[in-house]
Amino acid sequence: MFEHNHQVYTAREIVQHYSQLRQLQPAEQSILDLLSNRWSHMKMLDVGIGGGRTTQYFSRVVKEYVGIDYSEEMVSVCQKRFPSSSQLRIEVGDARDMSQFPDNSFDFILFSFNGIDVISHSDRLRVLKEVSRVGKSGGYFFFSSHSLQGLEREFKWQNQISLNPLKTYVNMIMFALLRFFNRSISLQQIKHSEHEIIQDESHNFRLKQYYIRPQEQLNQLKAAFENIRMYSWKSGLEITTQQELSDNSDMWIYYLCKIK
Ligand SMILES: C[S@@+](CC[C@H](N)C(=O)[O-])C[C@H]1O[C@@H](n2cnc3c(N)ncnc32)[C@H](O)[C@@H]1O
């Protein structure tokens, strides 16, 4: 099932889609600003670079930039866009096995735009271990992941109604497709799970993605990471209180963690 996700990321139209993305997401901009006086000392690993959306911003400011992706097709597009230099390198690599890098190699590791969500639960845990191994102690891991809280909202038809009838119509169609592709999963199940695999609307329901309850994500991280901060992907603002977290219905959340 997860091999199919890999195939999706090798498809020509998908590679083209990612190579046309240009904007940083608000939470990514927040971190770019937050660490502005540190970048010039940092060696960065960008995992799952896709078409290089984040490369254009981060490679300019860091001391050294290495980008990897497990899709050869994504890598070759990126290599054309960003020719290698003494400061920048892009290569094929899989986050589940980064044995090409020694321990304690990087100051900042990014896995943006929910790239970590297209692999299985056990592979996700392997990725977290690999990140903590190749990252320096005191370095950062910044990534986003789909939120089960956000999905809970999408699973209720009542939330699809808007004052604009056209919007309601489109929402209802997307709602029906979401429920159809995930017909074995009930709203009750979503409410009570810690994580679920969901065939969601990205790339026309071609991907199966991991959704996790934010609190459970914190539990998953605590063995290898500390000082975990959460950011709304949409507003870019840090989620600082328990109330803000329980009210949050973003479809994905960014996590900034320090490697232990
Ligand atoms: C949603 S795209 C995001 C692309 C880019 N980072 C961006 O933000 O625009 C996820 C990317 O992660 C890559 N990816 C997924 N799992 C991976 C893994 N285990 N190792 C390396 N790359 C992976 C995919 O090939 C894809 O290019």
Side-chain angles (χ1 to χ4, degrees), residues 175-191:
F175 168 79
L177 287 170
L178 179 70
R179 295 303 296 261
F180 171 76
F181 281 113
N182 299 282
R183 51 197 177 280
S184 61
I185 301 173
S186 67
L187 178 58
Q188 280 311 310
Q189 197 175 329
I190 301 266
K191 276 186 177 158

Side-chain angles (χ1 to χ4, degrees), residues 126-140:
R126 278 172 68 191
V127 169
L128 295 180
K129 270 203 170 151
E130 274 295 79
V131 166
S132 76
R133 182 186 67 76
V134 301
K136 292 180 188 167
S137 169
Y140 294 93

Side-chain angles (χ1 to χ4, degrees), residues 1-9 205-208:
M1 156 163 114
F2 296 100
E3 183 44 38
H4 174 77
N5 287 343
H6 183 200
Q7 291 301 318
V8 171
Y9 285 126
F205 293 91
R206 283 165 76 183
L207 288 176
K208 293 208 163 122

Side-chain angles (χ1 to χ4, degrees), residues 3 18 29 65 85 151 229 238 259:
E3 183 44 38
Y18 282 102
Q29 185 64 53
Y65 177 95
S85 69
L151 185 73
R229 294 162 75 167
E238 187 177 354
I259 300 165

Side-chain angles (χ1 to χ4, degrees), residues 96-184:
R96 294 168 288 192
D97 174 7
M98 298 194 278
S99 44
Q100 70 273 40
F101 304 121
D103 297 0
N104 304 311
S105 297
F106 299 98
D107 304 286
F108 186 88
I109 301 174
L110 174 65
F111 204 164
S112 63
F113 212 172
N114 317 314
I116 200 171
D117 289 342
V118 296
I119 49 176
S120 68
H121 176 74
S122 55
D123 280 348
R124 182 185 188 90
L125 301 183
R126 278 172 68 191
V127 169
L128 295 180
K129 270 203 170 151
E130 274 295 79
V131 166
S132 76
R133 182 186 67 76
V134 301
K136 292 180 188 167
S137 169
Y140 294 93
F141 178 40
F142 183 50
F143 72 102
S144 69
S145 182
H146 285 97
S147 163
L148 260 190
Q149 260 176 224
L151 185 73
E152 208 175 299
R153 194 181 181 284
E154 293 305 305
F155 252 60
K156 293 183 191 149
W157 69 265
Q158 294 89 333
N159 292 329
Q160 311 310 322
I161 296 173
S162 129
L163 287 176
N164 176 342
L166 183 63
K167 191 154 189 273
T168 303
Y169 174 72
V170 172
N171 286 351
M172 281 300 189
I173 290 183
M174 294 314 281
F175 168 79
L177 287 170
L178 179 70
R179 295 303 296 261
F180 171 76
F181 281 113
N182 299 282
R183 51 197 177 280
S184 61

Side-chain angles (χ1 to χ4, degrees), residues 9 18 48-50 53 69-71 74 93-95 111-113 115 118:
Y9 285 126
Y18 282 102
I49 44 167
R53 183 181 63 84
D69 201 292
Y70 74 170
S71 156
M74 294 283 191
D94 190 324
F111 204 164
S112 63
F113 212 172
V118 296

